Amino acid sequence: MTGPGANPEPPSSLARRLLTTLVAWHRLAVLCSRVQGRHRVVGQEPDAGRPVRIAEYELTTALLTARAAVGRPQAVFGEVRVLVRCHGVPVGQLEIPDSGDGNAVEVPLLVKKQRLDQHECSHAWPVSVHERRSPASVVIPTRDRPASLGRLITSLRAVAATDIEFLIVDNAPATAATRDLVETVGRSDGRFRYLCEPRRGAARARNTGLAAAGGRAIAFLDDDTQVDQHWLPAILSGFDAAADVGCVTGLVLPDELTTSAQIWFEQYGGFGKGFERRIYDRWTRASALYPYAAGAFGSGNNVAFDADTVRELGGFNEILGPGTPTHAGEDLELFTRTIRSGHRIVYEPSAIVYHTHRQQYGELLDQLRNYGTGLSAMLLAQAAASPRDLLEIMRRVPAGLLFLLLPRSSKNVSRGPRFPAELVLTEVLGVASGPFAYAQARRAQLRRGDQSRPGEAEDHAR
């Protein structure tokens, strides 16, 4: 019972429920691992079909442009996915068979048929950062991926604003390649700065950038993304969408869909959250899992925080995320804390970045397992911080499992008939192993004598 007259659950009962849940999680992890080991065929990867061309159609100019496929430039495409925009603002998306040069004729006809041209095209982007958010900072954690980082830097250099700084945080680097790249760029563009965080972990690198940032708004990007030309003013405009906005997320689209792994990831759900602006707060009831649903608010590879808010919250939890046994979840955990602290999160689809998905099937398997591990580790981190959170999370576990596993759940409904069951199994395995990964990360922190929690990263930043 949880009503006003109910007695609070005794600690011993709560501990038994938690232990029972962890034992069930462990058994699920062992079972999934055995099943996956029996059915994995080495060297054989499921085929998702022909590559998909990525393109954009601008209503005001009737111009259709295709993005270059970096991974397979000579690919023969079976479909084309077209983002329809009006003055750069996304209004919808089309997916049609690819007809090469014929796309320039078919796309405008389909736009009219689906009435995507019935939008008010009166938007005008500001030429500089909004005064209330000036200056702004962008933090990019990276580790030994200079080629990918170079493509992101090229897209950032096209940003016209001068009242902005780009902080490249080199995380436990094995080579000097990233430092050389950033210092070379910085000699001709003073907005770029190089920082080094020697302790491994994406959350640590993010907190290092956070401590060094001088902006009133601080954005975070991953090094495998590229920004749209309107990205900066769009993501900063989200802070004006409502009162007390602490965080703004944006739309993440695939940079290319040339391999089966990339196509499977989009069917898995990708990063996109639609084309309508949404505002979240503690009273929102988006689903039975809210506010703990993975990815409900957006993605950590395209996000901006109000500087005062994110520092008051203590930054990113350094037990979570890439570079730790938990592998992921540091962004989701901070989103949840933002909501629970009383601030709002705005999803602004006009703030577009393009993400280069994993090209190989084995990499995708690792990614989905890591996402599952990070999700349940994030939930345990929330529960460890507050007994009230633990009760709320445990009440949501049944709905969470149904959301994860049911074919007709909103998470799974877009998957095609050939979607590999192994990918679902891998994610479940990750979810089951998350609590143990969190415990491992916590023990490693205690062995190092590193008691830094969210809010203490500034001590290590400079």
PDB file of all heavy atoms in Angstrom, residues 362-397:
ATOM      1  N   GLY A 362      29.199  -6.498 -35.493  1.00  0.00           N
ATOM      2  CA  GLY A 362      29.774  -6.752 -34.177  1.00  0.00           C
ATOM      3  C   GLY A 362      29.831  -5.497 -33.328  1.00  0.00           C
ATOM      4  O   GLY A 362      29.607  -5.542 -32.110  1.00  0.00           O
ATOM      5  N   GLU A 363      30.132  -4.363 -33.962  1.00  0.00           N
ATOM      6  CA  GLU A 363      30.140  -3.093 -33.236  1.00  0.00           C
ATOM      7  C   GLU A 363      28.745  -2.728 -32.751  1.00  0.00           C
ATOM      8  O   GLU A 363      28.578  -2.174 -31.657  1.00  0.00           O
ATOM      9  CB  GLU A 363      30.682  -1.980 -34.140  1.00  0.00           C
ATOM     10  CG  GLU A 363      32.130  -2.145 -34.551  1.00  0.00           C
ATOM     11  CD  GLU A 363      32.567  -1.106 -35.569  1.00  0.00           C
ATOM     12  OE1 GLU A 363      31.708  -0.591 -36.301  1.00  0.00           O
ATOM     13  OE2 GLU A 363      33.770  -0.815 -35.631  1.00  0.00           O
ATOM     14  N   LEU A 364      27.735  -3.030 -33.566  1.00  0.00           N
ATOM     15  CA  LEU A 364      26.353  -2.749 -33.170  1.00  0.00           C
ATOM     16  C   LEU A 364      25.946  -3.610 -31.976  1.00  0.00           C
ATOM     17  O   LEU A 364      25.290  -3.126 -31.044  1.00  0.00           O
ATOM     18  CB  LEU A 364      25.410  -2.991 -34.347  1.00  0.00           C
ATOM     19  CG  LEU A 364      23.915  -2.809 -34.068  1.00  0.00           C
ATOM     20  CD1 LEU A 364      23.607  -1.396 -33.604  1.00  0.00           C
ATOM     21  CD2 LEU A 364      23.093  -3.150 -35.310  1.00  0.00           C
ATOM     22  N   LEU A 365      26.333  -4.885 -31.988  1.00  0.00           N
ATOM     23  CA  LEU A 365      26.040  -5.750 -30.851  1.00  0.00           C
ATOM     24  C   LEU A 365      26.637  -5.178 -29.565  1.00  0.00           C
ATOM     25  O   LEU A 365      25.980  -5.114 -28.525  1.00  0.00           O
ATOM     26  CB  LEU A 365      26.583  -7.156 -31.108  1.00  0.00           C
ATOM     27  CG  LEU A 365      25.815  -8.039 -32.104  1.00  0.00           C
ATOM     28  CD1 LEU A 365      26.627  -9.299 -32.420  1.00  0.00           C
ATOM     29  CD2 LEU A 365      24.449  -8.411 -31.569  1.00  0.00           C
ATOM     30  N   ASP A 366      27.891  -4.754 -29.648  1.00  0.00           N
ATOM     31  CA  ASP A 366      28.539  -4.156 -28.476  1.00  0.00           C
ATOM     32  C   ASP A 366      27.800  -2.895 -28.027  1.00  0.00           C
ATOM     33  O   ASP A 366      27.603  -2.668 -26.831  1.00  0.00           O
ATOM     34  CB  ASP A 366      29.993  -3.814 -28.793  1.00  0.00           C
ATOM     35  CG  ASP A 366      30.862  -5.054 -28.978  1.00  0.00           C
ATOM     36  OD1 ASP A 366      30.456  -6.143 -28.522  1.00  0.00           O
ATOM     37  OD2 ASP A 366      31.945  -4.933 -29.588  1.00  0.00           O
ATOM     38  N   GLN A 367      27.403  -2.079 -28.992  1.00  0.00           N
ATOM     39  CA  GLN A 367      26.727  -0.824 -28.667  1.00  0.00           C
ATOM     40  C   GLN A 367      25.406  -1.057 -27.942  1.00  0.00           C
ATOM     41  O   GLN A 367      25.124  -0.417 -26.918  1.00  0.00           O
ATOM     42  CB  GLN A 367      26.481  -0.026 -29.951  1.00  0.00           C
ATOM     43  CG  GLN A 367      25.801   1.323 -29.725  1.00  0.00           C
ATOM     44  CD  GLN A 367      25.505   2.038 -31.036  1.00  0.00           C
ATOM     45  OE1 GLN A 367      25.533   1.438 -32.115  1.00  0.00           O
ATOM     46  NE2 GLN A 367      25.237   3.324 -30.951  1.00  0.00           N
ATOM     47  N   LEU A 368      24.594  -1.994 -28.433  1.00  0.00           N
ATOM     48  CA  LEU A 368      23.295  -2.231 -27.819  1.00  0.00           C
ATOM     49  C   LEU A 368      23.438  -2.869 -26.443  1.00  0.00           C
ATOM     50  O   LEU A 368      22.678  -2.551 -25.518  1.00  0.00           O
ATOM     51  CB  LEU A 368      22.434  -3.106 -28.728  1.00  0.00           C
ATOM     52  CG  LEU A 368      22.087  -2.497 -30.089  1.00  0.00           C
ATOM     53  CD1 LEU A 368      21.032  -3.341 -30.796  1.00  0.00           C
ATOM     54  CD2 LEU A 368      21.613  -1.058 -29.954  1.00  0.00           C
ATOM     55  N   ARG A 369      24.398  -3.758 -26.306  1.00  0.00           N
ATOM     56  CA  ARG A 369      24.634  -4.319 -24.973  1.00  0.00           C
ATOM     57  C   ARG A 369      25.086  -3.214 -24.013  1.00  0.00           C
ATOM     58  O   ARG A 369      24.640  -3.163 -22.864  1.00  0.00           O
ATOM     59  CB  ARG A 369      25.683  -5.429 -25.036  1.00  0.00           C
ATOM     60  CG  ARG A 369      25.997  -5.993 -23.652  1.00  0.00           C
ATOM     61  CD  ARG A 369      26.813  -7.259 -23.709  1.00  0.00           C
ATOM     62  NE  ARG A 369      27.159  -7.726 -22.360  1.00  0.00           N
ATOM     63  CZ  ARG A 369      27.668  -8.908 -22.090  1.00  0.00           C
ATOM     64  NH1 ARG A 369      27.882  -9.767 -23.054  1.00  0.00           N
ATOM     65  NH2 ARG A 369      27.972  -9.256 -20.850  1.00  0.00           N
ATOM     66  N   ASN A 370      25.954  -2.343 -24.469  1.00  0.00           N
ATOM     67  CA  ASN A 370      26.410  -1.239 -23.618  1.00  0.00           C
ATOM     68  C   ASN A 370      25.258  -0.314 -23.235  1.00  0.00           C
ATOM     69  O   ASN A 370      25.197   0.169 -22.095  1.00  0.00           O
ATOM     70  CB  ASN A 370      27.501  -0.451 -24.332  1.00  0.00           C
ATOM     71  CG  ASN A 370      28.799  -1.224 -24.464  1.00  0.00           C
ATOM     72  OD1 ASN A 370      28.993  -2.252 -23.808  1.00  0.00           O
ATOM     73  ND2 ASN A 370      29.683  -0.760 -25.319  1.00  0.00           N
ATOM     74  N   TYR A 371      24.348  -0.057 -24.174  1.00  0.00           N
ATOM     75  CA  TYR A 371      23.192   0.780 -23.857  1.00  0.00           C
ATOM     76  C   TYR A 371      22.337   0.139 -22.764  1.00  0.00           C
ATOM     77  O   TYR A 371      21.864   0.814 -21.849  1.00  0.00           O
ATOM     78  CB  TYR A 371      22.345   1.012 -25.108  1.00  0.00           C
ATOM     79  CG  TYR A 371      22.899   2.043 -26.059  1.00  0.00           C
ATOM     80  CD1 TYR A 371      22.296   2.272 -27.289  1.00  0.00           C
ATOM     81  CD2 TYR A 371      24.016   2.799 -25.749  1.00  0.00           C
ATOM     82  CE1 TYR A 371      22.792   3.217 -28.178  1.00  0.00           C
ATOM     83  CE2 TYR A 371      24.517   3.743 -26.628  1.00  0.00           C
ATOM     84  CZ  TYR A 371      23.905   3.951 -27.846  1.00  0.00           C
ATOM     85  OH  TYR A 371      24.389   4.886 -28.724  1.00  0.00           O
ATOM     86  N   GLY A 372      22.122  -1.179 -22.891  1.00  0.00           N
ATOM     87  CA  GLY A 372      21.351  -1.866 -21.868  1.00  0.00           C
ATOM     88  C   GLY A 372      22.035  -1.826 -20.519  1.00  0.00           C
ATOM     89  O   GLY A 372      21.402  -1.579 -19.475  1.00  0.00           O
ATOM     90  N   THR A 373      23.347  -2.055 -20.516  1.00  0.00           N
ATOM     91  CA  THR A 373      24.109  -2.005 -19.270  1.00  0.00           C
ATOM     92  C   THR A 373      24.031  -0.621 -18.644  1.00  0.00           C
ATOM     93  O   THR A 373      23.796  -0.475 -17.436  1.00  0.00           O
ATOM     94  CB  THR A 373      25.579  -2.373 -19.538  1.00  0.00           C
ATOM     95  OG1 THR A 373      25.650  -3.683 -20.102  1.00  0.00           O
ATOM     96  CG2 THR A 373      26.389  -2.347 -18.247  1.00  0.00           C
ATOM     97  N   GLY A 374      24.217   0.407 -19.464  1.00  0.00           N
ATOM     98  CA  GLY A 374      24.172   1.769 -18.945  1.00  0.00           C
ATOM     99  C   GLY A 374      22.815   2.152 -18.405  1.00  0.00           C
ATOM    100  O   GLY A 374      22.719   2.888 -17.415  1.00  0.00           O
ATOM    101  N   LEU A 375      21.756   1.642 -19.037  1.00  0.00           N
ATOM    102  CA  LEU A 375      20.402   1.976 -18.581  1.00  0.00           C
ATOM    103  C   LEU A 375      20.154   1.465 -17.168  1.00  0.00           C
ATOM    104  O   LEU A 375      19.746   2.218 -16.280  1.00  0.00           O
ATOM    105  CB  LEU A 375      19.368   1.391 -19.537  1.00  0.00           C
ATOM    106  CG  LEU A 375      17.904   1.474 -19.078  1.00  0.00           C
ATOM    107  CD1 LEU A 375      17.483   2.917 -18.887  1.00  0.00           C
ATOM    108  CD2 LEU A 375      16.992   0.765 -20.063  1.00  0.00           C
ATOM    109  N   SER A 376      20.394   0.166 -16.932  1.00  0.00           N
ATOM    110  CA  SER A 376      20.106  -0.359 -15.603  1.00  0.00           C
ATOM    111  C   SER A 376      21.119   0.133 -14.573  1.00  0.00           C
ATOM    112  O   SER A 376      20.770   0.328 -13.401  1.00  0.00           O
ATOM    113  CB  SER A 376      20.063  -1.893 -15.622  1.00  0.00           C
ATOM    114  OG  SER A 376      21.233  -2.439 -16.190  1.00  0.00           O
ATOM    115  N   ALA A 377      22.357   0.399 -14.995  1.00  0.00           N
ATOM    116  CA  ALA A 377      23.326   0.996 -14.075  1.00  0.00           C
ATOM    117  C   ALA A 377      22.889   2.400 -13.678  1.00  0.00           C
ATOM    118  O   ALA A 377      23.039   2.818 -12.517  1.00  0.00           O
ATOM    119  CB  ALA A 377      24.711   1.029 -14.717  1.00  0.00           C
ATOM    120  N   MET A 378      22.359   3.145 -14.636  1.00  0.00           N
ATOM    121  CA  MET A 378      21.843   4.480 -14.343  1.00  0.00           C
ATOM    122  C   MET A 378      20.702   4.424 -13.337  1.00  0.00           C
ATOM    123  O   MET A 378      20.627   5.230 -12.395  1.00  0.00           O
ATOM    124  CB  MET A 378      21.383   5.151 -15.637  1.00  0.00           C
ATOM    125  CG  MET A 378      20.785   6.538 -15.480  1.00  0.00           C
ATOM    126  SD  MET A 378      18.999   6.579 -15.145  1.00  0.00           S
ATOM    127  CE  MET A 378      18.338   6.030 -16.706  1.00  0.00           C
ATOM    128  N   LEU A 379      19.803   3.452 -13.509  1.00  0.00           N
ATOM    129  CA  LEU A 379      18.687   3.311 -12.574  1.00  0.00           C
ATOM    130  C   LEU A 379      19.190   2.969 -11.175  1.00  0.00           C
ATOM    131  O   LEU A 379      18.668   3.484 -10.174  1.00  0.00           O
ATOM    132  CB  LEU A 379      17.730   2.234 -13.074  1.00  0.00           C
ATOM    133  CG  LEU A 379      16.993   2.532 -14.387  1.00  0.00           C
ATOM    134  CD1 LEU A 379      16.154   1.340 -14.812  1.00  0.00           C
ATOM    135  CD2 LEU A 379      16.125   3.771 -14.262  1.00  0.00           C
ATOM    136  N   LEU A 380      20.215   2.119 -11.089  1.00  0.00           N
ATOM    137  CA  LEU A 380      20.764   1.777  -9.786  1.00  0.00           C
ATOM    138  C   LEU A 380      21.451   2.984  -9.152  1.00  0.00           C
ATOM    139  O   LEU A 380      21.375   3.182  -7.932  1.00  0.00           O
ATOM    140  CB  LEU A 380      21.743   0.613  -9.916  1.00  0.00           C
ATOM    141  CG  LEU A 380      22.257   0.025  -8.596  1.00  0.00           C
ATOM    142  CD1 LEU A 380      21.096  -0.428  -7.718  1.00  0.00           C
ATOM    143  CD2 LEU A 380      23.211  -1.130  -8.857  1.00  0.00           C
ATOM    144  N   ALA A 381      22.099   3.800  -9.975  1.00  0.00           N
ATOM    145  CA  ALA A 381      22.712   5.014  -9.444  1.00  0.00           C
ATOM    146  C   ALA A 381      21.657   5.943  -8.865  1.00  0.00           C
ATOM    147  O   ALA A 381      21.861   6.561  -7.800  1.00  0.00           O
ATOM    148  CB  ALA A 381      23.499   5.728 -10.546  1.00  0.00           C
ATOM    149  N   GLN A 382      20.519   6.048  -9.540  1.00  0.00           N
ATOM    150  CA  GLN A 382      19.422   6.854  -9.019  1.00  0.00           C
ATOM    151  C   GLN A 382      18.893   6.261  -7.713  1.00  0.00           C
ATOM    152  O   GLN A 382      18.650   6.970  -6.742  1.00  0.00           O
ATOM    153  CB  GLN A 382      18.287   6.913 -10.046  1.00  0.00           C
ATOM    154  CG  GLN A 382      18.625   7.632 -11.332  1.00  0.00           C
ATOM    155  CD  GLN A 382      18.432   9.134 -11.226  1.00  0.00           C
ATOM    156  OE1 GLN A 382      17.634   9.606 -10.438  1.00  0.00           O
ATOM    157  NE2 GLN A 382      19.175   9.876 -12.019  1.00  0.00           N
ATOM    158  N   ALA A 383      18.727   4.927  -7.694  1.00  0.00           N
ATOM    159  CA  ALA A 383      18.198   4.276  -6.502  1.00  0.00           C
ATOM    160  C   ALA A 383      19.152   4.400  -5.324  1.00  0.00           C
ATOM    161  O   ALA A 383      18.727   4.563  -4.172  1.00  0.00           O
ATOM    162  CB  ALA A 383      17.922   2.805  -6.809  1.00  0.00           C
ATOM    163  N   ALA A 384      20.459   4.318  -5.595  1.00  0.00           N
ATOM    164  CA  ALA A 384      21.443   4.420  -4.518  1.00  0.00           C
ATOM    165  C   ALA A 384      21.426   5.801  -3.882  1.00  0.00           C
ATOM    166  O   ALA A 384      21.787   5.961  -2.712  1.00  0.00           O
ATOM    167  CB  ALA A 384      22.838   4.100  -5.060  1.00  0.00           C
ATOM    168  N   ALA A 385      21.007   6.808  -4.637  1.00  0.00           N
ATOM    169  CA  ALA A 385      20.996   8.173  -4.116  1.00  0.00           C
ATOM    170  C   ALA A 385      19.795   8.456  -3.235  1.00  0.00           C
ATOM    171  O   ALA A 385      19.832   9.376  -2.418  1.00  0.00           O
ATOM    172  CB  ALA A 385      21.032   9.173  -5.280  1.00  0.00           C
ATOM    173  N   SER A 386      18.713   7.653  -3.399  1.00  0.00           N
ATOM    174  CA  SER A 386      17.492   7.968  -2.662  1.00  0.00           C
ATOM    175  C   SER A 386      16.614   6.733  -2.543  1.00  0.00           C
ATOM    176  O   SER A 386      16.261   6.125  -3.559  1.00  0.00           O
ATOM    177  CB  SER A 386      16.716   9.083  -3.377  1.00  0.00           C
ATOM    178  OG  SER A 386      15.408   9.203  -2.876  1.00  0.00           O
ATOM    179  N   PRO A 387      16.232   6.326  -1.312  1.00  0.00           N
ATOM    180  CA  PRO A 387      15.292   5.200  -1.155  1.00  0.00           C
ATOM    181  C   PRO A 387      13.963   5.448  -1.864  1.00  0.00           C
ATOM    182  O   PRO A 387      13.352   4.510  -2.377  1.00  0.00           O
ATOM    183  CB  PRO A 387      15.104   5.122   0.362  1.00  0.00           C
ATOM    184  CG  PRO A 387      16.342   5.729   0.935  1.00  0.00           C
ATOM    185  CD  PRO A 387      16.722   6.817  -0.029  1.00  0.00           C
ATOM    186  N   ARG A 388      13.520   6.701  -1.923  1.00  0.00           N
ATOM    187  CA  ARG A 388      12.273   6.992  -2.631  1.00  0.00           C
ATOM    188  C   ARG A 388      12.408   6.662  -4.111  1.00  0.00           C
ATOM    189  O   ARG A 388      11.494   6.103  -4.719  1.00  0.00           O
ATOM    190  CB  ARG A 388      11.901   8.473  -2.460  1.00  0.00           C
ATOM    191  CG  ARG A 388      10.548   8.831  -3.098  1.00  0.00           C
ATOM    192  CD  ARG A 388      10.268  10.314  -3.004  1.00  0.00           C
ATOM    193  NE  ARG A 388      11.207  11.085  -3.807  1.00  0.00           N
ATOM    194  CZ  ARG A 388      11.137  12.415  -3.966  1.00  0.00           C
ATOM    195  NH1 ARG A 388      10.195  13.090  -3.350  1.00  0.00           N
ATOM    196  NH2 ARG A 388      12.019  13.038  -4.706  1.00  0.00           N
ATOM    197  N   ASP A 389      13.558   7.006  -4.696  1.00  0.00           N
ATOM    198  CA  ASP A 389      13.790   6.662  -6.094  1.00  0.00           C
ATOM    199  C   ASP A 389      13.790   5.153  -6.294  1.00  0.00           C
ATOM    200  O   ASP A 389      13.302   4.645  -7.311  1.00  0.00           O
ATOM    201  CB  ASP A 389      15.125   7.242  -6.568  1.00  0.00           C
ATOM    202  CG  ASP A 389      15.053   8.741  -6.794  1.00  0.00           C
ATOM    203  OD1 ASP A 389      13.951   9.307  -6.676  1.00  0.00           O
ATOM    204  OD2 ASP A 389      16.101   9.346  -7.085  1.00  0.00           O
ATOM    205  N   LEU A 390      14.355   4.413  -5.333  1.00  0.00           N
ATOM    206  CA  LEU A 390      14.392   2.959  -5.449  1.00  0.00           C
ATOM    207  C   LEU A 390      12.979   2.393  -5.547  1.00  0.00           C
ATOM    208  O   LEU A 390      12.698   1.544  -6.398  1.00  0.00           O
ATOM    209  CB  LEU A 390      15.114   2.362  -4.237  1.00  0.00           C
ATOM    210  CG  LEU A 390      15.094   0.832  -4.132  1.00  0.00           C
ATOM    211  CD1 LEU A 390      15.713   0.197  -5.364  1.00  0.00           C
ATOM    212  CD2 LEU A 390      15.813   0.385  -2.871  1.00  0.00           C
ATOM    213  N   LEU A 391      12.063   2.855  -4.700  1.00  0.00           N
ATOM    214  CA  LEU A 391      10.689   2.366  -4.741  1.00  0.00           C
ATOM    215  C   LEU A 391      10.022   2.717  -6.067  1.00  0.00           C
ATOM    216  O   LEU A 391       9.330   1.890  -6.667  1.00  0.00           O
ATOM    217  CB  LEU A 391       9.900   2.950  -3.570  1.00  0.00           C
ATOM    218  CG  LEU A 391      10.262   2.410  -2.182  1.00  0.00           C
ATOM    219  CD1 LEU A 391       9.518   3.185  -1.102  1.00  0.00           C
ATOM    220  CD2 LEU A 391       9.939   0.930  -2.091  1.00  0.00           C
ATOM    221  N   GLU A 392      10.233   3.944  -6.538  1.00  0.00           N
ATOM    222  CA  GLU A 392       9.626   4.357  -7.809  1.00  0.00           C
ATOM    223  C   GLU A 392      10.150   3.509  -8.960  1.00  0.00           C
ATOM    224  O   GLU A 392       9.388   3.099  -9.842  1.00  0.00           O
ATOM    225  CB  GLU A 392       9.913   5.831  -8.062  1.00  0.00           C
ATOM    226  CG  GLU A 392       9.147   6.797  -7.165  1.00  0.00           C
ATOM    227  CD  GLU A 392       9.287   8.233  -7.630  1.00  0.00           C
ATOM    228  OE1 GLU A 392       9.795   8.443  -8.749  1.00  0.00           O
ATOM    229  OE2 GLU A 392       8.891   9.132  -6.876  1.00  0.00           O
ATOM    230  N   ILE A 393      11.443   3.254  -8.964  1.00  0.00           N
ATOM    231  CA  ILE A 393      12.043   2.473 -10.047  1.00  0.00           C
ATOM    232  C   ILE A 393      11.544   1.037 -10.024  1.00  0.00           C
ATOM    233  O   ILE A 393      11.198   0.466 -11.069  1.00  0.00           O
ATOM    234  CB  ILE A 393      13.582   2.530  -9.939  1.00  0.00           C
ATOM    235  CG1 ILE A 393      14.077   3.948 -10.279  1.00  0.00           C
ATOM    236  CG2 ILE A 393      14.226   1.511 -10.865  1.00  0.00           C
ATOM    237  CD1 ILE A 393      15.527   4.183  -9.945  1.00  0.00           C
ATOM    238  N   MET A 394      11.474   0.425  -8.839  1.00  0.00           N
ATOM    239  CA  MET A 394      11.030  -0.965  -8.754  1.00  0.00           C
ATOM    240  C   MET A 394       9.584  -1.114  -9.189  1.00  0.00           C
ATOM    241  O   MET A 394       9.200  -2.131  -9.785  1.00  0.00           O
ATOM    242  CB  MET A 394      11.235  -1.491  -7.341  1.00  0.00           C
ATOM    243  CG  MET A 394      12.701  -1.633  -6.953  1.00  0.00           C
ATOM    244  SD  MET A 394      12.961  -2.379  -5.330  1.00  0.00           S
ATOM    245  CE  MET A 394      12.421  -4.055  -5.637  1.00  0.00           C
ATOM    246  N   ARG A 395       8.765  -0.099  -8.920  1.00  0.00           N
ATOM    247  CA  ARG A 395       7.372  -0.154  -9.384  1.00  0.00           C
ATOM    248  C   ARG A 395       7.286  -0.100 -10.902  1.00  0.00           C
ATOM    249  O   ARG A 395       6.312  -0.563 -11.493  1.00  0.00           O
ATOM    250  CB  ARG A 395       6.571   0.998  -8.769  1.00  0.00           C
ATOM    251  CG  ARG A 395       6.148   0.761  -7.326  1.00  0.00           C
ATOM    252  CD  ARG A 395       5.054   1.714  -6.919  1.00  0.00           C
ATOM    253  NE  ARG A 395       5.490   3.101  -6.917  1.00  0.00           N
ATOM    254  CZ  ARG A 395       5.953   3.737  -5.836  1.00  0.00           C
ATOM    255  NH1 ARG A 395       6.049   3.088  -4.689  1.00  0.00           N
ATOM    256  NH2 ARG A 395       6.314   4.998  -5.897  1.00  0.00           N
ATOM    257  N   ARG A 396       8.304   0.467 -11.535  1.00  0.00           N
ATOM    258  CA  ARG A 396       8.286   0.618 -12.988  1.00  0.00           C
ATOM    259  C   ARG A 396       8.946  -0.541 -13.727  1.00  0.00           C
ATOM    260  O   ARG A 396       8.913  -0.594 -14.956  1.00  0.00           O
ATOM    261  CB  ARG A 396       8.967   1.934 -13.382  1.00  0.00           C
ATOM    262  CG  ARG A 396       8.156   3.178 -13.050  1.00  0.00           C
ATOM    263  CD  ARG A 396       9.032   4.423 -13.163  1.00  0.00           C
ATOM    264  NE  ARG A 396       8.269   5.653 -13.136  1.00  0.00           N
ATOM    265  CZ  ARG A 396       7.790   6.226 -12.043  1.00  0.00           C
ATOM    266  NH1 ARG A 396       7.990   5.643 -10.862  1.00  0.00           N
ATOM    267  NH2 ARG A 396       7.126   7.366 -12.101  1.00  0.00           N
ATOM    268  N   VAL A 397       9.588  -1.458 -12.997  1.00  0.00           N
ATOM    269  CA  VAL A 397      10.309  -2.559 -13.645  1.00  0.00           C
ATOM    270  C   VAL A 397       9.410  -3.394 -14.557  1.00  0.00           C
ATOM    271  O   VAL A 397       9.776  -3.676 -15.710  1.00  0.00           O
ATOM    272  CB  VAL A 397      11.018  -3.432 -12.593  1.00  0.00           C
ATOM    273  CG1 VAL A 397      11.490  -4.759 -13.212  1.00  0.00           C
ATOM    274  CG2 VAL A 397      12.214  -2.691 -12.011  1.00  0.00           C
TER     275      VAL A 397
END
